[in-house]
Structure formats: C-alpha cells, structure tokens
Amino acid sequence: MSTELTGVLFAVGTATAFGLGSTVARLGLVGTPVVTGTVVSMIAGTMLIVGVAAPGYASTLGGIPTSGWALIVFTSIINYPIGRLLVFNAMLRIGVARGNTIVSANPVVAGTIAIIWLGEMLGLQTGAGMIACVGGGVLVAWAARQGPSADESALAEDPRLTETTKGLLAALGAMLSYGTVSALVKKIVTDVAEPIIGASLVFAFGTAMVAMLSLPRLRRELPQITFRRGWQLVLGGSGMSLGVLMFYNAASRAPITAVAPVVALAPIIAILFSQVIARRFELVDKRIWIGAASVVVGVALIGTSL
C-alpha cells in the first residue's frame, strides 16, 4: 500500500472519529452540566494523545524556546477553554448536526486571517469555497431557528435569549476560535515542535486550564454525572482526540489536496451517526443536509486550493 493511500485512509479515520466522537459526547451531555461534561471529555482525550506523544518528549521539550511555550499556551487558551466549551454548548442546544456543520466552516476564518495577517492572496477557488461554507452555515442556522433539535425540556429557558440563539452564537464563536487556532497551529508545527508533540502540549495545557477554572463546580457537579453519561463523555472525548492523531498522520503521509476533502466529510458523518444513535435529540431535515453538503464542498475547495 502506498504512503499516499495510507494517508487518505487516515483521513477517512479522522472524519469518522470526529463525527462519531462528537455524537457520542452529545449523548453524554444530556442532563450533564456543560462545563463539567467538557472537562471529563477533555481529560479522557488528553490521556490518549499525551500517551501517544510522551515517548518524544525527552528529545523535544528542552529545545522549545520561551516564545514557543508562550505560543503553545496562547493557542491552548483559544482552542480549549474557549473553543471546546463553545462547541459543547452548541451541540447541547442545537444538536450535533447543526452545531458541527456551522463549526466546520471555520476554514473561512482561517483563510481570512491568512489573507489579512499573512498576506496570502484570495484565489477564485478559495473565494468560491468561502462562499459555499458561509452559505451552508447560514442555511443550517436558518433551519435551527425554524425548529431547535436540542432537548430543550432539560434546559432552563432564558426569556431574554432562547436556547437556540445561545446555541447558534456558541457555534459561531467556536467557528471563530477553531479558525484562529488553525493559523496558530501552523506556526507551532512549523517553528516550535513536530505536529504530534505540539498537538499534545496544546491539548494538555488546555485541559489543565479548563479543569482549574472549573474546580469549584467540578466538586459539586461530578457526583451528578451518571455512570452511563460519564462513559459517553469519555468515549466521545477519546474519539475526538483520536481524530486529531489520525489527522496529523494523514497530513504527514498524503498531500493536503487529498486529505482536506476527505476530512471535510466529518459533518456529514456526524449527521449520519446522529440519526443512528442520537435520533431522539436530532431532527434533521433537507435544509440541514444541503447546508452540510455545501460546507463540505466549501472546505474541500479551500483545502485543495492550498
């Protein structure tokens, strides 16, 4: 089997792990406080990714300069205390299908940052991809406004801001967060550390920060998590971390033009899984499918234009 084909297979695994992991984590969030559920999933994911990367620490950590550590910590803050909490809020309130699809449009943000900050040029293909992503995201947001899919009976309704609106705002915030992180991660893996080491350090610092910030509520809320919900959060977080590991393996073996379109299938796979194992909480209509397909096409266009 060729190296490129192996990379493509890893890309398929990435999309599957992201889709399945987020869907299982969504089940674990039902009746679970969002922050505590996020911490549980992140701890499980950190144990997995750090365990894989640990053998390379001895030869790498000592060579990371102070500026590199600062970049890792800054990226951790945006990626996890902000990004992961927002995406879990979005999945709880508007569902994994809607939330994941909107968040998956984050290459629009990364592309915009690259154009403004890094001086890259906007080509026709990249521009078309951005339009497709935005259009798909808008369609999914419109569908969510027409009929929420979250189990809103379990959520306290705020008369000033509906749960659906909160979910949409959380998804948009996560999209901005992950889009920004994409640019930062590129800097880390280029100038600071090899991909798996950099990813594990960002993950570890992020988990530590979220856990410390949430310590008072963790003591109170952890006993409230049922055994079943806890395992769903652990499996979901581990699945999403496995997706990160597979993505770096895919990128190291195959060109991005082959990897990006396959990884972009993650929102479609998430919708498929949600209809099998989380149908009670996921109402998916034609607009969601069309919006998700539009985002996939957009991400593929942006990815293959690099």
Side-chain angles (χ1 to χ4, degrees):
M1 184 182 295
S2 68
T3 302
E4 289 77 11
L5 180 56
T6 303
V8 171
L9 292 177
F10 270 116
V12 173
T14 299
T16 304
F18 282 150
L20 180 58
S22 60
T23 305
V24 174
R26 164 73 175 95
L27 288 174
L29 286 172
V30 177
T32 301
V34 176
V35 174
T36 300
T38 303
V39 173
V40 171
S41 75
M42 288 183 65
I43 290 174
T46 298
M47 292 176 65
L48 174 64
I49 197 168
V50 170
V52 173
Y57 284 170
S59 60
T60 304
L61 300 188
I64 299 178
T66 302
S67 59
W69 285 111
L71 182 60
I72 288 171
V73 172
F74 180 64
T75 304
S76 300
I77 294 172
I78 297 177
N79 201 359
Y80 295 107
I82 297 176
R84 180 64 72 90
L85 283 172
L86 286 173
V87 78
F88 270 49
N89 267 283
M91 289 195 300
L92 176 63
R93 289 178 164 83
I94 60 175
V96 65
R98 293 165 171 82
N100 264 15
T101 300
I102 294 173
V103 174
S104 294
N106 69 80
V108 172
V109 179
T112 302
I113 292 174
I115 292 167
I116 296 175
W117 184 32
L118 303 178
E120 296 185 7
M121 300 298 294
L122 177 63
L124 180 61
Q125 184 173 331
T126 302
M130 288 185 173
I131 292 173
C133 284
V134 172
V138 169
L139 183 59
V140 170
W142 175 54
R145 291 296 300 159
Q146 297 297 311
S149 67
D151 184 16
E152 294 196 1
S153 62
L155 300 170
E157 185 70 25
D158 185 342
R160 296 168 298 176
L161 198 63
T162 68
E163 294 299 336
T164 300
T165 301
K166 290 179 184 177
L168 290 173
L169 291 175
L172 288 172
M175 182 185 74
L176 292 171
S177 173
Y178 288 152
T180 302
V181 164
S182 296
L184 296 174
V185 166
K186 182 177 180 180
K187 181 72 173 176
I188 290 175
V189 300
T190 301
D191 300 335
V192 179
E194 60 182 280
I196 187 59
I197 299 296
S200 66
L201 292 175
V202 169
F203 216 122
F205 276 112
T207 300
M209 284 185 283
V210 173
M212 286 189 294
L213 291 172
S214 310
L215 192 58
R217 67 168 61 195
L218 285 175
R219 293 173 177 171
R220 182 178 67 255
E221 295 175 350
L222 273 176
Q224 301 174 17
I225 301 178
T226 65
F227 180 80
R228 180 181 179 184
R229 300 302 185 204
W231 269 111
Q232 287 170 335
L233 290 168
V234 168
L235 291 174
S238 299
M240 295 168 78
S241 295
L242 183 61
V244 173
L245 292 175
M246 288 190 175
F247 175 74
Y248 284 118
N249 274 286
S252 66
R253 288 171 168 79
I256 194 65
T257 53
V259 172
V262 178
V263 175
L265 293 173
I268 295 291
I269 293 174
I271 293 176
L272 290 172
F273 278 129
S274 73
Q275 295 306 287
V276 175
I277 64 177
R279 191 177 183 89
R280 174 187 169 193
F281 307 106
E282 298 286 332
L283 302 177
V284 179
D285 60 20
K286 182 170 63 176
R287 293 169 298 178
I288 303 297
W289 284 108
I290 294 174
S294 180
V295 170
V296 168
V297 171
V299 173
L301 286 172
I302 293 171
T304 56
S305 69
L306 300 176

